[in-house]
Amino acid sequence: QKYKGMGVALEMFCNALQGGYTNFGVFELYGDNSLSTSMSICLRMCLEIPVADLTRYLKSLKSVFQFMDLSSKHHMAKVMEMPTQQVVMLFSALEEGLLCFDSAVCMQCFTAVDNICTYFYTARHEQSEAGERVRRFLTEQPQSLRKHLTLL
């Protein structure tokens, strides 16, 4: 009951993200920041939940792991705009999900880690702002990704 409202809100946002209802590139094309604002709010909601509570209240918070999977798949550049410590906190939540006994949560976390590794691999050599963020993150937090790969 403690996190039910957050879980429902994230579930609704996840349904909108994965439903194929709109082309999200249109938002940036027309300078509409509503997707960016919504993603930021959902990411902050995920960060407000202590990592220990993610598995304790799994029934209400499965949507957190689903959101991390979807955001890492299609919107990783937006995730990397967050400060490094907040990205590390999201990675800690993924680590908790990898250790979870619920197979659906584990699979979402595996997929999210795969998406993150793919994004890091492709973006690290780019001469762009996204590439710079990835290089900075890997320099500041070299162990963060290594722990996840060890768990896999």
Side-chain angles (χ1 to χ4, degrees):
Q1 294 294 352
K2 186 175 182 179
Y3 295 109
K4 191 171 185 177
M6 290 174 112
V8 169
L10 284 170
E11 186 176 354
M12 288 188 320
F13 193 67
C14 286
N15 288 336
L17 285 178
Q18 77 182 28
Y21 301 112
T22 186
N23 180 350
F24 294 112
V26 171
F27 289 96
E28 280 189 43
L29 181 66
Y30 290 107
D32 185 353
N33 67 350
S34 58
L35 176 64
S36 177
T37 303
S38 301
M39 286 286 296
S40 176
I41 289 169
C42 288
L43 287 168
R44 284 187 300 195
M45 279 190 344
C46 290
L47 292 172
E48 289 298 317
I49 302 166
V51 174
D53 285 354
L54 287 173
T55 53
R56 191 176 306 144
Y57 298 99
L58 191 59
K59 185 177 178 183
S60 298
L61 296 178
K62 279 187 179 184
S63 56
V64 170
F65 297 108
Q66 182 184 14
F67 174 72
M68 284 192 239
D69 179 20
L70 291 171
S71 61
S72 69
K73 186 175 185 178
H74 300 294
H75 306 282
M76 194 60 198
K78 187 60 59 187
V79 173
M80 291 306 294
E81 289 177 5
M82 297 170 31
T84 303
Q85 278 310 109
Q86 291 180 348
V87 176
V88 169
M89 289 171 62
L90 285 176
F91 279 20
S92 296
L94 280 176
E95 184 178 344
E96 190 70 24
L98 288 171
L99 298 172
C100 181
F101 291 111
D102 187 292
S103 61
V105 169
C106 283
M107 286 306 296
Q108 287 174 333
C109 292
F110 287 140
T111 305
V113 170
D114 180 47
N115 294 335
I116 291 166
C117 289
T118 302
Y119 178 80
F120 280 11
Y121 183 78
T122 56
R124 69 187 170 122
H125 295 298
E126 293 178 5
Q127 297 302 321
S128 63
E129 196 173 323
E132 179 58 35
R133 285 187 187 119
V134 168
R135 288 189 293 278
R136 186 175 343 111
F137 180 82
L138 291 174
T139 302
E140 292 175 10
Q141 297 292 329
Q143 294 297 323
S144 185
L145 197 57
R146 195 170 295 149
K147 286 192 306 188
H148 290 85
L149 295 176
T150 303
L151 285 173
L152 296 177

